[in-house]
Amino acid sequence: FLHIGASVGITLFPGKGQTAEDLLKQADTAMYQAKSAGRRTVIFFDDAMQRQADKRLQMHNALRGALANQELLLYFQPQHMVATGELVGAEALVRWQPEGKSLVSPTEFIPIAEKKGLMPLVDRYVIHSVCKQIRSWINLGKPIVPISINLSARHLFEQTTIAYIFQKVGEFDIPHNFLEIEVTEYGLIKDYKKTAINMMRLEQAGIEVAIDDYGTGNANLETVLSLPIKHLKID
């Protein structure tokens, strides 16, 4: 390669593979590793890389099965008023514990869900589960505080996401003010206009919107504050 304008993955023959198909797969694996490392990066394939790729594939398949079988768990992290200690809300945190194994860290399975296109399914799973849990608490006569759900900003501009939120709120017949949407990965918003409209629809329905981890990206504060958000969580 005399000129490199993009990330490149390389494998070697003989030594790493015996067929053209094996070599192409290995070069492809190395290329994705190179892309993760940044532009104009060259990476040579090695066996450890293949083991990591196999592990990611296994986790992807297992995660898809966990979603289909409703095996993900929700933990609720309480939010207290600093001055009084009063419980004012909670944040729903999705967790995964495969049968007979220890908890899998979100730092492991969330990136895989994002790369493999499973995040919309994870988002829907959490929306459904939170609405179902709130209805259960209401039926038991428990005092309710607003529950926050983290949704990726890259999906919030999609009408299907907003429609699904309203569908589940109606299905479980829960007051809209018991739900809050926290927008994560704010810098990945694809369409600010549509996202602002969707935020306004949520806000007008009584579902508050918050920006999570502000300061980790390049979002302009003036732009953020022009949106109908109730809370700004600064990293």
mmCIF file of all heavy atoms in Angstrom, residues 10 36 55 71-73 88 93-94 132-133 135 144 150 161 173-174 183 185 188-189 208 210 232:
data_model
loop_
_atom_site.group_PDB
_atom_site.id
_atom_site.type_symbol
_atom_site.label_atom_id
_atom_site.label_comp_id
_atom_site.label_asym_id
_atom_site.label_seq_id
_atom_site.Cartn_x
_atom_site.Cartn_y
_atom_site.Cartn_z
ATOM 1 N N ILE A 10 -4.796 -6.201 7.645
ATOM 2 C CA ILE A 10 -3.912 -7.063 6.865
ATOM 3 C C ILE A 10 -3.749 -8.413 7.557
ATOM 4 O O ILE A 10 -3.632 -8.482 8.781
ATOM 5 C CB ILE A 10 -2.517 -6.407 6.705
ATOM 6 C CG1 ILE A 10 -2.636 -5.061 5.959
ATOM 7 C CG2 ILE A 10 -1.562 -7.335 5.965
ATOM 8 C CD1 ILE A 10 -1.332 -4.308 5.880
ATOM 9 N N SER A 36 -11.595 1.142 14.577
ATOM 10 C CA SER A 36 -11.817 1.527 15.970
ATOM 11 C C SER A 36 -10.650 2.351 16.498
ATOM 12 O O SER A 36 -10.818 3.187 17.386
ATOM 13 C CB SER A 36 -12.012 0.285 16.844
ATOM 14 O OG SER A 36 -13.148 -0.443 16.436
ATOM 15 N N LYS A 55 -15.837 -13.943 20.573
ATOM 16 C CA LYS A 55 -16.529 -13.630 21.827
ATOM 17 C C LYS A 55 -17.643 -12.621 21.583
ATOM 18 O O LYS A 55 -18.750 -12.755 22.109
ATOM 19 C CB LYS A 55 -15.530 -13.076 22.843
ATOM 20 C CG LYS A 55 -16.165 -12.743 24.186
ATOM 21 C CD LYS A 55 -15.127 -12.189 25.158
ATOM 22 C CE LYS A 55 -15.800 -11.802 26.491
ATOM 23 N NZ LYS A 55 -14.802 -11.248 27.462
ATOM 24 N N GLU A 71 -35.018 -11.748 29.294
ATOM 25 C CA GLU A 71 -34.110 -12.137 30.372
ATOM 26 C C GLU A 71 -33.288 -10.973 30.919
ATOM 27 O O GLU A 71 -32.517 -11.159 31.865
ATOM 28 C CB GLU A 71 -33.167 -13.245 29.882
ATOM 29 C CG GLU A 71 -33.875 -14.556 29.567
ATOM 30 C CD GLU A 71 -32.973 -15.591 28.926
ATOM 31 O OE1 GLU A 71 -31.812 -15.248 28.596
ATOM 32 O OE2 GLU A 71 -33.419 -16.729 28.743
ATOM 33 N N LEU A 72 -33.426 -9.779 30.337
ATOM 34 C CA LEU A 72 -32.695 -8.638 30.870
ATOM 35 C C LEU A 72 -33.353 -8.171 32.168
ATOM 36 O O LEU A 72 -34.550 -8.357 32.377
ATOM 37 C CB LEU A 72 -32.659 -7.492 29.857
ATOM 38 C CG LEU A 72 -31.944 -7.780 28.529
ATOM 39 C CD1 LEU A 72 -31.872 -6.519 27.686
ATOM 40 C CD2 LEU A 72 -30.552 -8.335 28.763
ATOM 41 N N LEU A 73 -32.561 -7.555 33.036
ATOM 42 C CA LEU A 73 -33.038 -7.107 34.342
ATOM 43 C C LEU A 73 -33.032 -5.586 34.409
ATOM 44 O O LEU A 73 -32.269 -4.925 33.711
ATOM 45 C CB LEU A 73 -32.136 -7.657 35.451
ATOM 46 C CG LEU A 73 -31.871 -9.156 35.462
ATOM 47 C CD1 LEU A 73 -30.801 -9.478 36.503
ATOM 48 C CD2 LEU A 73 -33.147 -9.926 35.753
ATOM 49 N N VAL A 88 -36.875 11.666 45.066
ATOM 50 C CA VAL A 88 -37.634 12.435 44.073
ATOM 51 C C VAL A 88 -37.703 11.737 42.715
ATOM 52 O O VAL A 88 -38.402 12.188 41.813
ATOM 53 C CB VAL A 88 -37.040 13.851 43.894
ATOM 54 C CG1 VAL A 88 -37.213 14.661 45.173
ATOM 55 C CG2 VAL A 88 -35.562 13.766 43.494
ATOM 56 N N LEU A 93 -31.871 1.212 35.117
ATOM 57 C CA LEU A 93 -30.602 0.742 34.568
ATOM 58 C C LEU A 93 -30.779 -0.691 34.088
ATOM 59 O O LEU A 93 -31.173 -1.564 34.863
ATOM 60 C CB LEU A 93 -29.497 0.805 35.622
ATOM 61 C CG LEU A 93 -29.294 2.164 36.308
ATOM 62 C CD1 LEU A 93 -28.257 2.045 37.413
ATOM 63 C CD2 LEU A 93 -28.878 3.223 35.295
ATOM 64 N N VAL A 94 -30.498 -0.934 32.816
ATOM 65 C CA VAL A 94 -30.674 -2.271 32.268
ATOM 66 C C VAL A 94 -29.432 -3.106 32.556
ATOM 67 O O VAL A 94 -28.295 -2.647 32.401
ATOM 68 C CB VAL A 94 -30.972 -2.223 30.754
ATOM 69 C CG1 VAL A 94 -29.814 -1.640 29.961
ATOM 70 C CG2 VAL A 94 -31.351 -3.609 30.228
ATOM 71 N N LYS A 132 -44.497 -1.357 32.641
ATOM 72 C CA LYS A 132 -45.121 -2.505 33.324
ATOM 73 C C LYS A 132 -44.855 -2.448 34.827
ATOM 74 O O LYS A 132 -45.757 -2.724 35.644
ATOM 75 C CB LYS A 132 -44.572 -3.805 32.738
ATOM 76 C CG LYS A 132 -45.175 -5.066 33.336
ATOM 77 C CD LYS A 132 -44.588 -6.304 32.675
ATOM 78 C CE LYS A 132 -45.172 -7.591 33.275
ATOM 79 N NZ LYS A 132 -44.586 -8.798 32.621
ATOM 80 N N GLN A 133 -43.621 -2.074 35.211
ATOM 81 C CA GLN A 133 -43.265 -2.003 36.632
ATOM 82 C C GLN A 133 -44.031 -0.887 37.335
ATOM 83 O O GLN A 133 -44.507 -1.059 38.471
ATOM 84 C CB GLN A 133 -41.767 -1.781 36.784
ATOM 85 C CG GLN A 133 -41.282 -1.741 38.220
ATOM 86 C CD GLN A 133 -41.505 -3.053 38.955
ATOM 87 O OE1 GLN A 133 -40.844 -4.042 38.664
ATOM 88 N NE2 GLN A 133 -42.445 -3.077 39.897
ATOM 89 N N ARG A 135 -46.940 0.281 36.527
ATOM 90 C CA ARG A 135 -48.328 -0.180 36.685
ATOM 91 C C ARG A 135 -48.440 -1.147 37.866
ATOM 92 O O ARG A 135 -49.404 -1.094 38.640
ATOM 93 C CB ARG A 135 -48.788 -0.844 35.386
ATOM 94 C CG ARG A 135 -50.104 -1.620 35.412
ATOM 95 C CD ARG A 135 -51.225 -0.968 36.188
ATOM 96 N NE ARG A 135 -51.538 0.378 35.734
ATOM 97 C CZ ARG A 135 -52.348 1.199 36.411
ATOM 98 N NH1 ARG A 135 -52.897 0.796 37.560
ATOM 99 N NH2 ARG A 135 -52.587 2.410 35.956
ATOM 100 N N ILE A 144 -45.300 6.533 44.090
ATOM 101 C CA ILE A 144 -44.552 6.507 42.827
ATOM 102 C C ILE A 144 -43.739 7.787 42.670
ATOM 103 O O ILE A 144 -44.220 8.882 42.966
ATOM 104 C CB ILE A 144 -45.505 6.365 41.616
ATOM 105 C CG1 ILE A 144 -46.492 5.213 41.824
ATOM 106 C CG2 ILE A 144 -44.703 6.159 40.333
ATOM 107 C CD1 ILE A 144 -45.870 3.853 41.905
ATOM 108 N N ASN A 150 -33.071 5.830 29.869
ATOM 109 C CA ASN A 150 -32.034 6.308 28.952
ATOM 110 C C ASN A 150 -32.328 5.846 27.535
ATOM 111 O O ASN A 150 -32.485 4.644 27.291
ATOM 112 C CB ASN A 150 -30.656 5.783 29.366
ATOM 113 C CG ASN A 150 -30.109 6.509 30.568
ATOM 114 O OD1 ASN A 150 -29.945 7.718 30.548
ATOM 115 N ND2 ASN A 150 -29.845 5.772 31.634
ATOM 116 N N THR A 161 -39.973 5.498 17.616
ATOM 117 C CA THR A 161 -39.576 5.503 19.018
ATOM 118 C C THR A 161 -40.599 6.243 19.866
ATOM 119 O O THR A 161 -41.031 5.759 20.921
ATOM 120 C CB THR A 161 -38.192 6.164 19.183
ATOM 121 O OG1 THR A 161 -37.225 5.457 18.401
ATOM 122 C CG2 THR A 161 -37.755 6.164 20.645
ATOM 123 N N ASP A 173 -51.595 2.156 31.086
ATOM 124 C CA ASP A 173 -52.426 3.188 31.714
ATOM 125 C C ASP A 173 -51.708 3.842 32.894
ATOM 126 O O ASP A 173 -52.174 3.817 34.034
ATOM 127 C CB ASP A 173 -53.759 2.575 32.175
ATOM 128 C CG ASP A 173 -54.762 3.645 32.614
ATOM 129 O OD1 ASP A 173 -54.629 4.805 32.175
ATOM 130 O OD2 ASP A 173 -55.664 3.309 33.404
ATOM 131 N N ILE A 174 -50.550 4.429 32.605
ATOM 132 C CA ILE A 174 -49.795 5.097 33.657
ATOM 133 C C ILE A 174 -49.788 6.605 33.391
ATOM 134 O O ILE A 174 -49.765 7.042 32.233
ATOM 135 C CB ILE A 174 -48.347 4.562 33.753
ATOM 136 C CG1 ILE A 174 -47.555 4.867 32.483
ATOM 137 C CG2 ILE A 174 -48.337 3.085 34.060
ATOM 138 C CD1 ILE A 174 -46.081 4.517 32.582
ATOM 139 N N VAL A 183 -31.820 11.653 27.398
ATOM 140 C CA VAL A 183 -31.185 11.529 26.088
ATOM 141 C C VAL A 183 -29.688 11.359 26.285
ATOM 142 O O VAL A 183 -29.019 12.222 26.861
ATOM 143 C CB VAL A 183 -31.460 12.765 25.218
ATOM 144 C CG1 VAL A 183 -30.811 12.614 23.848
ATOM 145 C CG2 VAL A 183 -32.962 12.983 25.073
ATOM 146 N N GLU A 185 -25.795 10.211 24.475
ATOM 147 C CA GLU A 185 -25.073 10.366 23.199
ATOM 148 C C GLU A 185 -25.618 11.557 22.414
ATOM 149 O O GLU A 185 -25.898 11.474 21.227
ATOM 150 C CB GLU A 185 -25.192 9.098 22.355
ATOM 151 C CG GLU A 185 -24.609 7.860 23.007
ATOM 152 C CD GLU A 185 -24.882 6.617 22.187
ATOM 153 O OE1 GLU A 185 -26.065 6.285 22.029
ATOM 154 O OE2 GLU A 185 -23.923 6.022 21.714
ATOM 155 N N LEU A 188 -24.676 12.581 18.919
ATOM 156 C CA LEU A 188 -24.974 11.727 17.777
ATOM 157 C C LEU A 188 -26.350 12.010 17.165
ATOM 158 O O LEU A 188 -26.816 11.243 16.332
ATOM 159 C CB LEU A 188 -24.893 10.249 18.197
ATOM 160 C CG LEU A 188 -23.517 9.771 18.658
ATOM 161 C CD1 LEU A 188 -23.589 8.313 19.088
ATOM 162 C CD2 LEU A 188 -22.481 9.939 17.557
ATOM 163 N N ILE A 189 -27.009 13.084 17.604
ATOM 164 C CA ILE A 189 -28.299 13.437 17.020
ATOM 165 C C ILE A 189 -28.128 13.659 15.520
ATOM 166 O O ILE A 189 -27.280 14.430 15.074
ATOM 167 C CB ILE A 189 -28.881 14.701 17.681
ATOM 168 C CG1 ILE A 189 -29.329 14.374 19.111
ATOM 169 C CG2 ILE A 189 -30.053 15.251 16.891
ATOM 170 C CD1 ILE A 189 -29.896 15.550 19.865
ATOM 171 N N GLU A 208 -41.280 14.349 30.853
ATOM 172 C CA GLU A 208 -40.143 15.262 30.881
ATOM 173 C C GLU A 208 -38.945 14.682 30.132
ATOM 174 O O GLU A 208 -38.802 13.460 30.006
ATOM 175 C CB GLU A 208 -39.755 15.585 32.329
ATOM 176 C CG GLU A 208 -40.845 16.364 33.070
ATOM 177 C CD GLU A 208 -40.458 16.690 34.492
ATOM 178 O OE1 GLU A 208 -39.429 16.146 34.975
ATOM 179 O OE2 GLU A 208 -41.166 17.482 35.133
ATOM 180 N N ALA A 210 -34.643 14.942 29.692
ATOM 181 C CA ALA A 210 -33.382 15.370 30.300
ATOM 182 C C ALA A 210 -32.231 15.047 29.359
ATOM 183 O O ALA A 210 -32.311 14.126 28.541
ATOM 184 C CB ALA A 210 -33.169 14.674 31.644
ATOM 185 N N LEU A 232 -30.609 18.967 33.060
ATOM 186 C CA LEU A 232 -29.339 18.841 32.346
ATOM 187 C C LEU A 232 -28.346 18.191 33.301
ATOM 188 O O LEU A 232 -27.973 18.775 34.317
ATOM 189 C CB LEU A 232 -28.836 20.222 31.904
ATOM 190 C CG LEU A 232 -27.513 20.245 31.127
ATOM 191 C CD1 LEU A 232 -27.680 19.558 29.791
ATOM 192 C CD2 LEU A 232 -27.042 21.680 30.924
#
